[in-house]
Amino acid sequence: TFVEAVEKHGAHDWLVEKLKGVLTMLKYPYPRNVDEPETYDQIRVHAEWGQVKEKEDKKPVFAIASKEGYLTKLGYHRKNWLTRWFVLYKNELKYFKNREEKVPLRTIDLTEVTDIIADDSQGKPNCFRIICPTRTFFMYASSSTEAEEWIKILRWKLEHPEAHTD
């Protein structure tokens, strides 16, 4: 048998390491006398041998009306402008120090946002503000088209909160 051949050639440890899987214990023994059918369905088997990559680059799953990109926001304490990576997903707008970061600097719950307005009070082109009960966030995009896209999708989220709760 295959197992006897592996043990005979001393490849047992290698096999166990390479073929890690789930051990299945049958409740009842599999019957040895099984009638073979005269014909089998035609099947095609494809197998690949190689190393399993520990870290694959997986693309994020997007919900309807999701968006991500760089925006420049006004800091809360120092009042300086900082470019951040923003991700809009479901009812949350998260921003990160850069695109590679995994942990957001802050998450804005869109269910608490009262309004999103184009803004020219900060002296920045393509600027808009997100108004929350405890704070107003000022940010601007690199182009007027980009700013309009952000405003449009954020307003849509405010008007349709039930569409993103699951």
Side-chain angles (χ1 to χ4, degrees), residues 70-74 81 117-129 138-148 150-151:
Y70 282 104
L71 292 171
T72 303
K73 65 171 280 300
L74 184 62
W81 292 94
I117 303 169
D119 185 274
D120 59 359
S121 68
Q122 301 300 310
K124 298 286 185 183
N126 315 316
C127 190
F128 60 96
R129 59 184 158 173
F138 291 93
M139 50 199 72
Y140 69 87
S142 59
S143 69
S144 60
T145 305
E146 187 75 12
E148 289 168 12
W150 277 103
I151 292 169

Side-chain angles (χ1 to χ4, degrees), residues 73-142:
K73 65 171 280 300
L74 184 62
Y76 183 69
H77 295 289
R78 292 189 176 185
K79 302 297 181 198
N80 56 337
W81 292 94
L82 301 165
T83 301
R84 299 290 186 228
W85 179 255
F86 282 78
V87 176
L88 175 62
Y89 181 73
K90 295 188 179 184
N91 279 328
E92 296 180 331
L93 178 63
K94 297 180 181 186
Y95 62 88
F96 303 80
K97 190 170 186 174
N98 56 48
R99 188 175 187 169
E100 291 76 30
E101 291 293 321
K102 302 294 182 213
V103 179
L105 294 171
R106 185 173 189 132
T107 301
I108 301 170
D109 183 356
L110 295 179
T111 60
E112 297 177 0
V113 172
T114 57
D115 206 358
I116 292 132
I117 303 169
D119 185 274
D120 59 359
S121 68
Q122 301 300 310
K124 298 286 185 183
N126 315 316
C127 190
F128 60 96
R129 59 184 158 173
I130 299 174
I131 303 170
C132 299
T134 58
R135 180 175 170 187
T136 299
F137 296 87
F138 291 93
M139 50 199 72
Y140 69 87
S142 59

Side-chain angles (χ1 to χ4, degrees), residues 1-12:
T1 67
F2 177 73
V3 174
E4 290 169 344
V6 167
E7 288 176 351
K8 180 181 176 183
H9 295 289
H12 183 264

